[in-house]
Amino acid sequence: QHQCRMAGKGIYFPDQKITVGDVEMPIVIFGDPAYPLMPWLMKPYTGALDSSKELFNYRLSKCRMVVECAFGRLEGRWRSLLTRSDLSETNIPIVIAACCVLHNLCESKGETFMAGWEVEANRLASAYKQPDTRAIRRAQQDAVRIREAL
């Protein structure tokens, strides 16, 4: 929940925005339907969809697949990314960046990546529940406007 509050305050992302139509949009993360819709976290539409919502979901899915593949490998190498972090908000981006750099070094040097690592990381990740608070539900109203504009 702490990370959600920090992300909502813009702590983790550059304060850069674009305007689409009349909606000002922050930098966003793409999530799957299990995540809460937030102004900084876009997820697909569910239920009966018109063609524009299906197109949005398709494009979101393509982007997410690339990101998920990369994060799957990253989490497979560095299991500490799967657990709750008690790091300060100052250190979280530094640790993640360090894991990314080390992972890229391993990939560029042809270090073996075991398929079982990613399977195990996915199994561990599925055990973590997402928060559901009143603050999240309030922020979802803003997120709906952003998703509609996207």
Side-chain angles (χ1 to χ4, degrees):
Q1 287 179 352
H2 175 70
Q3 276 82 12
C4 286
R5 283 194 308 275
M6 295 298 106
K9 292 177 183 176
I11 303 269
Y12 296 133
F13 312 118
D15 188 22
Q16 298 172 350
K17 295 186 169 101
I18 62 168
T19 302
V20 176
D22 63 345
V23 178
E24 188 178 71
M25 288 187 205
I27 291 175
V28 298
I29 295 175
F30 300 138
D32 65 27
Y35 289 95
L37 181 65
M38 302 293 285
W40 51 269
L41 176 62
M42 290 294 105
K43 69 182 221 173
Y45 288 98
T46 56
L49 307 177
D50 61 25
S51 60
S52 66
K53 290 179 180 174
E54 284 180 3
L55 181 59
F56 174 87
N57 283 0
Y58 171 74
R59 290 178 175 162
L60 183 77
S61 176
K62 281 180 63 176
C63 293
R64 280 188 45 240
M65 286 190 309
V66 171
V67 172
E68 284 182 15
C69 180
F71 272 103
R73 291 180 69 86
L74 188 65
E75 291 167 343
R77 281 197 198 272
W78 314 112
R79 304 276 174 84
S80 64
L81 295 175
L82 293 170
T83 62
R84 179 175 174 217
S85 175
D86 290 326
L87 296 169
S88 72
E89 60 265 7
T90 304
N91 290 333
I92 289 173
I94 295 167
V95 169
I96 292 171
C99 289
C100 290
V101 168
L102 291 171
H103 173 74
N104 288 342
L105 283 170
C106 291
E107 294 278 311
S108 69
K109 298 294 182 188
E111 291 290 325
T112 302
F113 182 87
M114 307 296 279
W117 294 349
E118 195 168 353
V119 171
E120 178 66 7
N122 288 336
R123 187 189 66 75
L124 292 169
S126 68
Y128 294 106
K129 289 181 67 176
Q130 297 300 314
D132 182 23
T133 66
R134 280 183 292 214
I136 288 174
R137 289 189 293 276
R138 279 194 303 272
Q140 287 175 341
Q141 295 168 347
D142 293 336
V144 167
R145 291 185 67 234
I146 291 169
R147 183 171 65 179
E148 289 294 321
L150 283 171

